[in-house]
Structure formats: structure tokens, C-alpha cells
Amino acid sequence: MSHLTSFGCVLCRYNRRRFFGEKWVYIEMNLFFDNDFDVYKIEKELNIKPSDCKRRNETRMSPFDKNKHLEAYWSLVTNTFEELDIKPAIDDLLKMLEGKLQIIKKICEENNGEVCFEIVSIFERDNLPAIYFEKRFLSIVNYLDAVIDIDMYLN
């Protein structure tokens, strides 16, 4: 899928402007589908309201292929923490996903989906973020065959 180069994180552009001038960290979990899968079904299967979701025909046109829409997606965003340490955001995400991993894996396997964890950190020059991954999170990334993207914004 091309989401790593053509789409980026679903909400980070908005949030970057919203939190400019401060230190923040949050995580998005995005499920991407490069097909016509109805992403609105995911809410019912997981019993979690998404932060955002769009079918492929509802997304904007690809900048690389003007005849093709970007991927469909289902996005879940953690709370935003006024922290430099990523741990509170990871803990929040893991709490949201408790008991849901097998369902997410099945949805992605059956519908050619991909999981992307987007780590977003906004920080000041003199206060660098602490980004590290505990085994518990990495085992989930491995189980879901997910990718991790890190967006860092310097104020």
C-alpha cells in the first residue's frame, strides 16, 4: 500500500496546528484498505467508535494517480498527553485495544488490510521526546504485522 508516502497520519495535520507551541504526544492506530471494503463495519465488530473513518470512494484522489482514490481507513486516536514520554499514550492505546486484537487481525487478513501505528510527538528544542517501545507493544505490532510511523514536530 502507498499510505506511507501518500497519506500519512489521518489527524496529525490538524493536531499539529492545534497544539503548536506546546509539547504533546498521542498515537493513532490506522487500519488501511486498498480496496472497497466497507470500513464502517469495523465499529460494530470492535464495539469501538472510530476517531475517523472513510470508505475508499470518500477519500481524496491520490497525488500519484489522479484516477484513483487513496486507501479506505479506520482510525483510532488516543488521548493527547502533555508529555515528552510516549508511555502514557501507549498505555492508553493498549487499554482501548484490550480484547480486540484477534478481531483486528481477522478483519485485516480477510480484507487485505494493513495496521499502522502513528506515533505523533510535538516538542520544543530544549525538551526532546522519549520514544521507546516496551515488549508488550512490540508483540502487538508483530502479532498484527503492523508498521510504526513516527511523526515528530519541533516547535
Side-chain angles (χ1 to χ4, degrees):
M1 285 190 214
S2 62
H3 72 84
L4 297 177
T5 57
S6 67
F7 192 70
C9 74
V10 174
L11 300 175
C12 67
R13 289 180 206 104
Y14 164 75
N15 284 335
R16 188 176 89 180
R17 279 184 251 118
R18 181 175 163 207
F19 301 122
F20 186 74
E22 301 169 26
K23 62 181 183 203
W24 297 92
V25 65
Y26 64 92
I27 300 174
E28 293 181 24
M29 181 189 74
N30 296 302
L31 307 182
F32 290 104
F33 300 89
D34 198 14
N35 54 44
D36 294 325
F37 174 62
D38 183 1
V39 293
Y40 292 99
K41 294 179 180 179
I42 297 172
E43 179 177 353
K44 184 177 180 182
E45 289 187 49
L46 291 178
N47 196 27
I48 298 176
K49 183 172 175 60
S51 303
D52 194 13
C53 73
K54 289 189 178 177
R55 290 184 190 101
R56 181 181 202 129
N57 67 352
E58 297 172 329
T59 64
R60 66 184 174 89
M61 299 305 286
S62 169
F64 303 110
D65 182 350
K66 300 293 184 192
N67 297 316
K68 184 178 177 183
H69 284 270
L70 293 174
E71 297 88 353
Y73 65 88
W74 189 92
S75 181
L76 184 64
V77 180
T78 66
N79 289 312
T80 304
F81 297 89
E82 192 173 357
E83 294 273 342
L84 291 171
D85 192 326
I86 195 172
K87 186 173 180 356
I90 288 178
D91 290 345
D92 192 39
L93 177 69
L94 297 181
K95 184 178 173 186
M96 293 170 160
L97 298 179
E98 194 171 313
K100 310 291 185 182
L101 296 176
Q102 287 181 324
I103 301 167
I104 293 168
K105 185 174 182 80
K106 182 179 178 200
I107 290 168
C108 289
E109 286 176 347
E110 291 178 354
N111 300 286
N112 296 318
E114 183 175 307
V115 179
C116 177
F117 293 103
E118 189 87 37
I119 314 295
V120 182
S121 179
I122 302 158
F123 58 96
E124 297 164 347
R125 184 175 309 275
D126 297 333
N127 295 309
L128 300 178
I131 297 181
Y132 56 91
F133 305 111
E134 296 176 347
K135 288 180 184 180
R136 181 174 61 146
F137 177 68
L138 290 176
S139 68
I140 290 170
V141 170
N142 183 56
Y143 176 74
L144 296 175
D145 195 25
V147 296
I148 300 172
D149 287 349
I150 300 175
D151 284 354
M152 300 177 74
Y153 301 98
L154 176 64
N155 286 330

